[in-house]
Amino acid sequence: MPQTEDIEYIKKYEAYDCINISEDDDFDPLDELYEPDPVEIQNTRQNPFTAKVFDPETMLFDLAEARKTETKFRENILSMMMSVLISSDKPNALLCGPAGCGKTKIVEELAYRLKNSENIVPQLKGYKIYALQLSDIVADSGLMGDLENKVKMLINYMSDQDEKRILFIDEIHMLFQEKAYRIVAQILKPALSRGKIKLIGATTTQEANLIDSDPAFCRRMTKIIVDEADHEQTVEILLSMNEHFANHYNISFALSRSKAEHIVDIADEFCYSGSHRPDNAITLLDRSIASAVVKNASDKKMKITLTDRHIKETAFRMTSGHSTPHAFNERAFHRDLSAVCGQEAIIDDLVNVLKLHSLHIRPTKRPLTMLFIGPSGVGKTEVAKIIAKNCAGEKPITLNMSEFYYDAGINRIIGSPAGYLGSDSNVELPFDKLKSLSGDTP
């Protein structure tokens, strides 16, 4: 049986032991008792499980304010959008097109016209377009029911009849990627089908396949294809942005038609395949002006004139990431090729081909390709390395096709089959020893 003084000792310090867990093995209960700070006491009294609400002031913004320049050559698409938005059922438009063709710019133009009542149908007068970033409504929704509550509040806010509102969601395919975003899509479906809210979505042609995976959501949207602007339209768009760039950089700047055509040609040739007109040409013009402004920072008058060489150098920096372009040196190329014995007959032909390609006389989107044929050990791979060194300044990525003789090895090139890890990744590599590929390989 414990002694009476032992019981009193335990009663005195048992609360202290439960509240304060010490990492010190030599714990002494005679130490000074812990007294929490008043601010800490106040924080513990507050309920940490506070419901998160939808805040339109921080999660939505008026898209008309984002419009900087007029949108050209998109009247047909604007008319189609307005016809969809005034429909009695499912007034929801889905803009699909390649990246950089101007989908978001079209919605900005419609928002500007709605705000200023310019060239719109009477049924849409008084409406405003509000853009929503999906990550804003999903963020800070960790507790059960937070996300659903915010989406319902969003629907109630957008369906208010006293305030005419249209919801715009860019990159709408995100609704079908993660589980949290799929919850948003499922809650939106009833409101979309009954015309309770008007929705405009935008996505690329490739990512639109994610939306097609949900037929119930897809049938509630009317797909509108946005094509890439052609060469002449892109030139006109660049000419219309003279005033915008002059005001932005506070410079004296004027772009001629011939220079605009040259910029479009260079953008088509140098810019990466994922970009399209007019975005690639506008970006190239913007970067060229910006780099010229930096170079002429000491000039007080700041009158910018873009040269063809300056535009090409800017395009190269945008594509490769290098600060200076790697120029083709004919003399150095001859010197390096002299190390390959017995191939003097092809040196002049190679030099002519590479020199013509470096001059960019014939702009093209296709890369320069060569096929070296000959017996083993004559120097085909070595010549390819010399060409890579002199044209790109880097070592080539060599792919020995003899390693891919069996069917399973081809997955290292084209990616894993559907359903396997890595099946959604793309691989682009040069080939060596093409004849070594398996005969069953497609």
Side-chain angles (χ1 to χ4, degrees):
M1 295 292 295
Q3 301 297 326
T4 305
E5 56 270 14
D6 295 336
I7 297 175
E8 294 296 331
Y9 180 87
I10 294 174
K11 288 182 178 180
K12 182 178 179 180
Y13 295 110
E14 66 177 348
Y16 183 88
D17 293 339
C18 295
I19 297 175
N20 299 278
I21 302 175
S22 174
E23 297 180 356
D24 189 2
D25 294 338
D26 300 330
F27 171 71
D28 187 359
L30 297 179
D31 290 341
E32 184 178 356
L33 295 176
Y34 171 73
E35 294 183 2
D37 187 81
V39 177
E40 185 178 352
I41 296 177
Q42 183 66 23
N43 292 337
T44 56
R45 291 176 180 175
Q46 296 178 353
N47 183 13
F49 302 102
T50 305
K52 308 301 186 298
V53 297
F54 169 76
D55 186 7
E57 295 184 359
T58 58
M59 296 184 182
L60 300 175
F61 69 92
D62 190 353
L63 201 62
E65 300 176 358
R67 191 250 200 191
K68 297 179 181 179
T69 59
E70 181 184 2
T71 303
K72 291 180 172 292
F73 310 109
R74 299 300 188 183
E75 291 299 329
N76 293 336
I77 296 177
L78 287 169
S79 299
M80 292 178 63
M81 287 178 58
M82 287 189 287
S83 65
V84 172
L85 292 174
I86 64 175
S87 301
S88 59
D89 292 329
K90 295 176 283 190
N92 314 302
L94 176 62
L95 299 181
C96 297
C101 67
K103 299 182 292 296
T104 305
K105 190 74 169 61
I106 294 173
V107 184
E108 292 175 359
E109 179 66 22
L110 179 60
Y112 178 82
R113 294 186 182 186
L114 292 176
K115 185 176 183 180
N116 297 276
S117 300
E118 298 179 0
N119 301 325
I120 60 172
V121 294
Q123 291 82 353
L124 289 178
K125 283 189 176 181
Y127 274 90
K128 291 184 178 181
I129 299 180
Y130 292 92
L132 171 67
Q133 187 75 21
L134 288 175
S135 58
D136 291 340
I137 199 170
V138 174
D140 202 15
S141 302
L143 298 179
M144 181 68 70
D146 280 353
L147 179 59
E148 292 83 349
N149 182 48
K150 287 197 289 187
V151 177
K152 288 184 178 180
M153 295 179 68
L154 168 66
I155 295 174
N156 294 333
Y157 180 80
M158 298 303 302
S159 60
D160 188 356
Q161 298 299 326
D162 297 332
E163 298 290 338
K164 300 179 178 179
R165 302 184 178 100
I166 301 175
L167 181 63
F168 171 63
I169 301 179
D170 199 3
E171 308 294 341
I172 195 172
H173 62 271
M174 292 177 59
L175 290 174
F176 305 93
Q177 288 183 330
E178 301 294 336
K179 181 179 179 180
Y181 293 101
R182 288 181 177 272
I183 295 175
V184 178
Q186 299 304 318
I187 301 175
L188 286 175
K189 283 181 182 179
L192 294 177
S193 61
R194 299 167 187 167
K196 192 175 182 180
I197 64 174
K198 299 180 184 293
L199 174 66
I200 302 175
T203 184
T204 62
T205 307
Q206 296 82 1
E207 292 165 326
N209 296 329
L210 296 173
I211 302 178
D212 295 336
S213 63
D214 189 341
F217 188 92
C218 189
R219 69 180 181 85
R220 290 170 168 82
M221 308 291 294
T222 300
K223 185 178 293 187
I224 300 176
I225 303 299
V226 182
D227 295 321
E228 182 182 12
D230 59 31
H231 187 280
E232 189 61 31
Q233 290 175 346
T234 308
V235 171
E236 294 295 334
I237 292 172
L238 294 183
L239 293 175
S240 66
M241 302 187 71
N242 270 327
E243 183 179 356
H244 167 70
F245 286 124
N247 295 335
H248 175 78
Y249 291 103
N250 193 21
I251 59 175
S252 176
F253 174 75
L255 184 68
S256 62
R257 175 172 291 274
S258 60
K259 192 68 64 176
E261 293 175 351
H262 190 61
I263 289 175
V264 176
D265 292 336
I266 295 177
D268 288 343
E269 181 179 2
F270 281 88
C271 290
Y272 62 95
S273 58
S275 63
H276 298 82
R277 292 187 298 264
D279 179 71
N280 58 357
I282 294 174
T283 303
L284 177 58
L285 175 59
D286 190 12
R287 297 293 187 274
S288 300
I289 298 174
S291 59
V293 169
V294 174
K295 288 183 179 180
N296 299 276
S298 59
D299 187 2
K300 296 182 180 180
K301 296 182 179 181
M302 193 61 73
K303 186 176 181 179
I304 299 300
T305 302
L306 300 179
T307 62
D308 294 348
R309 181 179 179 181
H310 176 73
I311 296 172
K312 287 183 178 180
E313 290 178 354
T314 304
F316 180 84
R317 287 194 293 267
M318 291 173 56
T319 306
S320 64
H322 294 288
S323 58
T324 56
H326 185 86
F328 176 69
N329 190 331
E330 183 178 350
R331 182 176 299 179
F333 184 63
H334 270 287
R335 184 180 62 251
D336 293 340
L337 277 180
S338 62
V340 182
C341 300
Q343 301 299 334
E344 292 79 5
I346 68 167
I347 291 180
D348 293 337
D349 294 337
L350 282 175
V351 170
N352 292 334
V353 171
L354 296 175
K355 190 175 181 180
L356 182 63
H357 178 72
S358 63
L359 294 176
H360 302 283
I361 298 177
R362 300 175 181 175
T364 178
K365 287 187 175 182
R366 297 180 180 179
L368 177 64
T369 57
M370 296 182 182
L371 178 62
F372 298 146
I373 302 175
S376 178
V378 297
K380 301 184 296 296
T381 304
E382 187 64 26
V383 171
K385 293 179 180 179
I386 295 174
I387 292 176
K389 174 185 175 183
N390 286 269
C391 292
E394 298 179 355
K395 294 182 179 180
I397 302 175
T398 304
L399 187 62
N400 193 339
M401 300 310 299
S402 61
E403 300 176 0
F404 302 91
Y405 180 79
Y406 296 101
D407 294 343
I410 198 65
N411 295 333
R412 298 168 58 184
I413 305 175
I414 64 176
S416 303
Y420 287 81
L421 184 64
S423 59
D424 56 345
S425 61
N426 296 325
V427 181
E428 298 179 4
L429 293 172
F431 303 109
D432 187 16
K433 298 185 180 180
L434 283 171
K435 66 178 182 179
S436 299
L437 276 174
S438 171
D440 298 333
T441 302

